[in-house]
Amino acid sequence: MDKTYHFLAGLPRSGNTLLSALLNQNPDIYSTPLSPTCSFMYDFYSSANIMEQVNRNDENKIKSEIFLSSFLDNFYKEVEKPVVIDREKMWGTPHNLNIIKRYITPTPKIIFTVRDILEIIASFVKMDAQYLKNDSYNVGYYMANYRSPKDLISEHLMAFNEDIDKGLLSLASAFYPENAGIFHIVEYNDLVFNPDETMNKIYDFLKMPHYQHNFNKIVKIEKDNDEVIGLPKNLHDIRKSLSQSSTNLDILSYYIKHKYSNMEFWRENATMKVRGKDF
């Protein structure tokens, strides 16, 4: 079966898993679990570029290009649906986006879920997860001796090269002129409070017919075993009915709220400036 590939990226704790579950209600769509294909393709591409056996032989170069170009078709060979939405939160980073354009489609469509940065931090802090306490203590040993545990986790979440930072890099690609029309940003609150309108805009972006979703019977079809990699078992659980998260910003200190407020550069009123959009 010939397939059309689209992509679902996003910031952590921004409704990405929820949106994927909703998309999977549509019988024409297979929205994947968190996908390894981006990492597979990136690793192969990076290795092939420096591999002696590839660089010394034109035939091997051609075969490597063919391998990458057919990778998604082979990976999703058993999927009997015409539209596959590959879900990897970092698809938008410059290198990953280049791989999509070069080997999958020159005109990709990336749905990108977003949420207030402070709400994302508060959502993680509210979990009170041991892995976050361990990670933040290990990388912030000195800070741990004079900052509160919640502040320590918050600073760790916002550190360079952590998931939120990588997610912001992924989203920043949307504002480069050469990427016009590639990204469709979905606000968490829009998905929760205006689901019909939000889903219809997604279908318009994908150039697909609208679909009537059931927002009171949401089922996540994939089974994640997050405990195997040291994460909480309920990290990617979703509610069966559409409802707002109970996350409250009062869980964060005034210092953290002041430091990381107005970072939503995809909005007009943000104080954070990014390359491509502001300079």
Side-chain angles (χ1 to χ4, degrees), residues 1 3 8 22-23 26 37-38 56 78 90 99 108 162 166 169 172 176 178 183 192 210 212 238 268 275:
M1 173 184 286
K3 298 181 181 70
L8 176 55
L22 288 171
L23 289 166
N26 189 324
T37 59
C38 179
R56 73 192 301 174
E78 88 291 353
M90 306 305 161
I99 286 177
E162 293 298 329
K166 292 176 184 176
L169 169 66
Y176 283 85
E178 63 269 26
F183 288 79
V192 171
H210 293 180
Q212 185 61 52
I238 59 174
E268 290 303 319
R275 185 174 295 151

Side-chain angles (χ1 to χ4, degrees), residues 13 16-17 25 38 40 83 87 98 114 206 212 243 270-271:
R13 313 299 294 172
N16 198 271
T17 305
Q25 290 181 351
C38 179
F40 282 155
V83 177
R87 183 170 160 243
N98 176 63
V114 298
L206 299 179
Q212 185 61 52
S243 60
T271 56

Side-chain angles (χ1 to χ4, degrees), residues 102-119:
R102 182 167 178 174
Y103 297 110
I104 302 173
T105 171
T107 56
K109 292 185 179 296
I110 301 175
I111 306 163
F112 203 105
T113 56
V114 298
R115 188 179 185 181
D116 285 12
I117 299 300
L118 288 175
E119 289 184 11

Side-chain angles (χ1 to χ4, degrees), residues 13 17 220 224 226 233-239:
R13 313 299 294 172
T17 305
K220 178 185 168 191
D224 291 317
D226 287 323
K233 65 179 181 180
N234 61 346
L235 182 62
H236 293 106
D237 286 355
I238 59 174
R239 300 176 183 84

Side-chain angles (χ1 to χ4, degrees), residues 7-248:
F7 306 90
L8 176 55
L11 299 177
R13 313 299 294 172
S14 64
N16 198 271
T17 305
L18 169 62
L19 178 55
S20 180
L22 288 171
L23 289 166
N24 273 320
Q25 290 181 351
N26 189 324
D28 288 333
I29 291 177
Y30 174 64
S31 183
T32 75
L34 286 173
S35 169
T37 59
C38 179
S39 295
F40 282 155
M41 294 181 74
Y42 174 87
D43 289 344
F44 183 87
Y45 175 84
S46 301
S47 299
N49 278 341
I50 61 173
M51 193 176 294
E52 179 181 311
Q53 294 91 331
V54 173
N55 288 313
R56 73 192 301 174
N57 185 280
D58 287 343
E59 186 177 344
N60 284 339
K61 287 182 182 179
I62 293 170
K63 286 184 166 137
S64 296
E65 294 285 301
I66 293 172
F67 176 83
L68 285 166
S69 297
S70 60
F71 189 86
L72 287 192
D73 283 336
N74 286 315
F75 194 83
Y76 295 116
K77 188 175 182 179
E78 88 291 353
V79 174
E80 294 295 329
K81 296 193 176 184
V83 177
V84 172
I85 299 180
D86 190 279
R87 183 170 160 243
E88 158 56 51
K89 294 178 182 178
M90 306 305 161
W91 265 126
T93 64
H95 194 101
N96 292 336
L97 188 52
N98 176 63
I99 286 177
I100 293 178
K101 290 179 178 179
R102 182 167 178 174
Y103 297 110
I104 302 173
T105 171
T107 56
K109 292 185 179 296
I110 301 175
I111 306 163
F112 203 105
T113 56
V114 298
R115 188 179 185 181
D116 285 12
I117 299 300
L118 288 175
E119 289 184 11
I120 293 172
I121 298 172
S123 180
F124 276 113
V125 172
K126 179 187 173 185
M127 280 189 227
D128 196 33
Q130 190 61 45
Y131 88 98
L132 284 175
K133 296 176 183 177
N134 294 342
D135 288 351
S136 59
Y137 183 84
N138 289 337
V139 300
Y141 171 77
Y142 295 106
M143 191 185 296
N145 285 283
Y146 66 92
R147 298 283 296 278
S148 73
K150 290 179 181 178
D151 272 14
L152 189 64
I153 291 173
S154 300
E155 298 287 16
H156 171 62
L157 290 167
M158 295 303 296
F160 296 132
N161 296 323
E162 293 298 329
D163 286 347
I164 294 176
D165 188 42
K166 292 176 184 176
L168 293 173
L169 169 66
S170 186
L171 179 56
S173 296
F175 297 95
Y176 283 85
E178 63 269 26
N179 297 329
I182 287 177
F183 288 79
H184 177 73
I185 296 173
V186 176
E187 292 271 6
Y188 172 77
N189 285 338
D190 288 342
L191 182 60
V192 171
F193 294 115
N194 301 295
D196 283 310
E197 179 182 356
T198 300
M199 296 304 296
N200 287 342
K201 287 181 178 178
I202 291 172
Y203 286 119
D204 291 342
F205 171 67
L206 299 179
K207 297 189 181 338
M208 292 182 64
H210 293 180
Y211 181 81
Q212 185 61 52
H213 289 273
N214 187 339
F215 302 114
N216 294 309
K217 191 177 181 181
I218 305 172
V219 178
K220 178 185 168 191
I221 62 172
E222 70 268 20
K223 305 296 181 184
D224 291 317
N225 193 1
D226 287 323
E227 290 175 293
V228 170
I229 56 174
L231 300 176
K233 65 179 181 180
N234 61 346
L235 182 62
H236 293 106
D237 286 355
I238 59 174
R239 300 176 183 84
K240 294 181 179 179
S241 296
L242 204 56
S243 60
Q244 184 183 21
S245 166
S246 59
T247 301
N248 192 318

